[in-house]
Amino acid sequence: MSSDTRNSSGDIDITDIDMNTTIRAKKQKLRKEIRSKLKALSKEEISSQSTYVWSELYNLPQYQSAKSVGLFLSMPKGEIHTDGVCQQVLNDGKDLYVPRVGLDFEQCDMDMIKVKVKVNVESNNNDSTDTNTSTSTSTSSECNNNSGSDIFHKDWPRNKWGIPEAPSYLTQLAQPGELDLIIVPGLGFDRDGGRLGQGKGYYDRFITKMSVKEQKRPFLIAVGLEPSFVEGGIPVNDHDCQMDMLILPQIGAVQVSIGNK
């Protein structure tokens, strides 16, 4: 179905408008249902389900071979935890990129910013060593992470949803072809790789921006908690990006077949 509401004669296609309106209404209803179920999860359930999902991720060849990973920072409530996996990505020697949409969520655009973490290591000559940086000298674009209990974003500003935002002194933006893997959040997912986001379209726009023909397309892995699995399917438009793989507690890691994409 085309998202263009004009037909070949240039007239407004009422059928397309009606279909878009119907899909939008179904999505809104589904978002409300899933948010209610996510809200009902206990902290223990979220923690245990998060641990399971990330353990599945670490075993995937797509993760193990990736040199660069785009990964979201989780909301304070009702979403899979990502602090541990962010740290694991860095510990595994991979480049970590996290979203920046700005403190104004109404600006519906997103970049992914490379995280640079400085780790001080005791050695004979008391030198300091950088992890995931191209040089061994300290610069203004690095975040100190000298304690295993301190997540790198603990002092970052928060947007209106309480999600940490990469500060302005981090300036290295992901370019098309640079991300091997993007771990994608969402409210809902189905077996065909359909995704239901929060409704602003940040990830759909960003993935499209990263998927230019002359560059490799990043591998897309959707992750979520149990209420995010939609057995009956998710209504989608042409502009909705399909995932390559799902990792959810009740189905494990499932790659979407080519015929469904």
Side-chain angles (χ1 to χ4, degrees), residues 13 28 36 43 63 112 117 153 156 159 169 175 199 251:
D13 192 324
Q28 289 294 80
S36 178
K43 291 181 179 179
Y63 172 79
M112 279 200 162
V117 179
H153 61 65
W156 287 7
N159 56 39
Y169 60 77
Q175 301 299 322
I251 63 173

Side-chain angles (χ1 to χ4, degrees), residues 72-90:
F72 63 100
L73 303 180
S74 51
M75 295 184 293
K77 296 180 180 179
E79 191 169 44
I80 188 170
H81 294 162
T82 59
D83 281 3
V85 67
C86 283
Q87 193 60 56
Q88 187 62 49
V89 169
L90 293 172

Side-chain angles (χ1 to χ4, degrees), residues 208-257:
T208 299
K209 186 166 59 176
M210 293 294 106
S211 302
V212 296
K213 289 184 179 179
E214 62 271 19
Q215 299 290 346
K216 66 176 181 179
R217 178 182 178 274
F219 192 80
L220 307 177
I221 299 182
V223 297
L225 303 170
E226 284 187 1
S228 294
F229 181 57
V230 181
E231 185 70 59
I234 291 174
V236 295
N237 298 99
D238 285 347
H239 62 263
D240 293 326
C241 294
Q242 283 186 292
M243 303 294 101
D244 297 308
M245 179 173 284
L246 316 176
I247 311 179
L248 297 166
Q250 62 270 62
I251 63 173
V254 177
Q255 188 155 357
V256 177
S257 64

Side-chain angles (χ1 to χ4, degrees), residues 55-67 94 180-181 219 221 245 247 253 255:
S55 66
E56 290 286 299
L57 174 74
Y58 301 145
N59 289 325
L60 293 176
Q62 291 88 350
Y63 172 79
Q64 294 171 357
S65 64
K67 296 181 179 178
K94 303 178 188 296
D180 296 324
L181 172 64
F219 192 80
I221 299 182
M245 179 173 284
I247 311 179
Q255 188 155 357

Side-chain angles (χ1 to χ4, degrees), residues 19-168:
M19 291 178 67
N20 284 329
T21 301
T22 299
I23 289 175
R24 190 178 304 113
K26 288 181 178 178
K27 285 183 174 182
Q28 289 294 80
K29 182 175 183 293
L30 199 52
R31 286 189 182 101
K32 184 176 181 180
E33 292 172 355
I34 296 173
R35 284 175 179 142
S36 178
K37 293 176 182 177
L38 288 170
K39 189 176 180 180
L41 291 177
S42 67
K43 291 181 179 179
E44 292 75 19
E45 287 173 318
I46 294 176
S47 179
S48 63
Q49 291 179 29
S50 298
T51 298
Y52 171 80
V53 167
W54 300 129
S55 66
E56 290 286 299
L57 174 74
Y58 301 145
N59 289 325
L60 293 176
Q62 291 88 350
Y63 172 79
Q64 294 171 357
S65 64
K67 296 181 179 178
S68 55
V69 179
L71 179 58
F72 63 100
L73 303 180
S74 51
M75 295 184 293
K77 296 180 180 179
E79 191 169 44
I80 188 170
H81 294 162
T82 59
D83 281 3
V85 67
C86 283
Q87 193 60 56
Q88 187 62 49
V89 169
L90 293 172
N91 291 347
D92 288 341
K94 303 178 188 296
D95 290 334
L96 174 64
Y97 290 78
V98 297
R100 181 161 65 203
V101 299
L103 299 180
D104 182 4
F105 256 69
E106 297 308 311
Q107 183 179 347
C108 296
D109 194 20
M110 183 181 93
D111 289 306
M112 279 200 162
I113 315 297
K114 186 176 181 179
V115 174
K116 296 186 177 181
V117 179
K118 183 182 179 186
V119 180
N120 291 331
V121 179
E122 294 289 331
S123 63
N124 292 336
N125 57 6
N126 293 322
D127 287 339
S128 65
T129 302
D130 285 335
T131 300
N132 288 333
T133 60
S134 58
T135 66
S136 59
T137 58
S138 177
T139 70
S140 61
S141 64
E142 292 167 350
C143 307
N144 289 326
N145 190 39
N146 300 323
S147 170
S149 62
D150 290 340
I151 189 67
F152 60 85
H153 61 65
K154 71 170 188 172
D155 295 323
W156 287 7
R158 263 57 174 173
N159 56 39
K160 73 175 186 179
W161 282 4
I163 302 172
E165 284 276 324
S168 59

